Amino acid sequence: AQTVTQSQPEMSVQEAETVTLSCTYDTSESDYYLFWYKQPPSRQMILVIRQEAYKQQNATENRFSVNFQKAAKSFSLKISDSQLGDAAMYFCAYRANYGGSQGNLIFGKGTKLSVKP
Amino acid sequence: ETGVTQTPRHLVMGMTNKKSLKCEQHLGHNAMYWYKQSAKKPLELMFVYNFKEQTENNSVPSRFSPECPNSSHLFLHLHTLQPEDSALYLCASSQATQETQYFGPGTRLLVL
């Protein structure tokens, strides 16, 4: 069974600094997607970034980028120039790209990010 | 309204009550999902609907009953719930089951 592990329950970063959130996953599949979702105190889960496993190039969305290491099954999120609005719970998620359960997102437990002014 | 909406945002109910959660998506998607988010636990997928047909029931107790009358609306009917069912219930939708999911704001449920 696939699993997603976020080993950092909480992280803190100074405003304008860079922070990296860790995520590892376990799967025997080769074709899948990985996601980072952000859940601010308002509770709306927002997609931050996604990575397709067959793409070697790391995904980037403005200040957010990932370090995808497929062999190591690692998918970390780097937030550059951190802003107060980045404070939230961050969830790493995995989804197989085929099969009967292809729609099923598997989430990690989340990392609570605090941003200090 | 745009995106995925959920009503009510907050709900308090007794164990003998019957209530329903509503989700509506304005994105033209064909797949809809119910998730349960409890404290200290990962999000748990409950149900998946694709083109109004249920394609996944993740061993959810029968006191939770989903309904999908069309691709834009998804309900979760609740009856004789237990206090441990208190959680945030999130709805999501996607164009197809293999596409990116977009979430609603959730319903915070408290069962007394």
Side-chain angles (χ1 to χ4, degrees), chain B residues 8-32:
Chain B
R9 295 293 307 276
H10 302 273
L11 178 63
V12 180
M13 60 187 289
M15 289 190 285
T16 59
N17 292 158
K18 290 184 180 180
K19 296 286 184 183
S20 295
L21 309 185
K22 178 183 176 182
C23 174
E24 183 173 3
Q25 57 93 2
H26 310 266
L27 301 168
H29 289 167
N30 297 307
M32 297 188 78

Side-chain angles (χ1 to χ4, degrees), chain A residues 27-43:
Chain A
T27 183
S28 58
E29 309 299 341
S30 59
D31 189 9
Y32 50 86
Y33 281 85
L34 295 163
F35 304 83
W36 278 99
Y37 280 90
K38 168 186 176 182
Q39 189 178 39
S42 67
R43 296 292 180 176

Side-chain angles (χ1 to χ4, degrees), chain A residues 27-73:
Chain A
T27 183
S28 58
E29 309 299 341
S30 59
D31 189 9
Y32 50 86
Y33 281 85
L34 295 163
F35 304 83
W36 278 99
Y37 280 90
K38 168 186 176 182
Q39 189 178 39
S42 67
R43 296 292 180 176
Q44 183 96 37
M45 191 82 75
I46 303 164
L47 177 69
V48 175
I49 200 166
R50 78 172 193 174
Q51 174 80 41
E52 298 166 86
Y54 62 84
K55 287 189 176 180
Q56 291 187 336
Q57 187 173 6
N58 289 325
T60 300
E61 287 287 341
N62 300 315
R63 297 182 296 107
F64 298 87
S65 61
V66 298
N67 183 5
F68 173 47
Q69 301 290 328
K70 191 171 184 179
K73 296 179 182 175

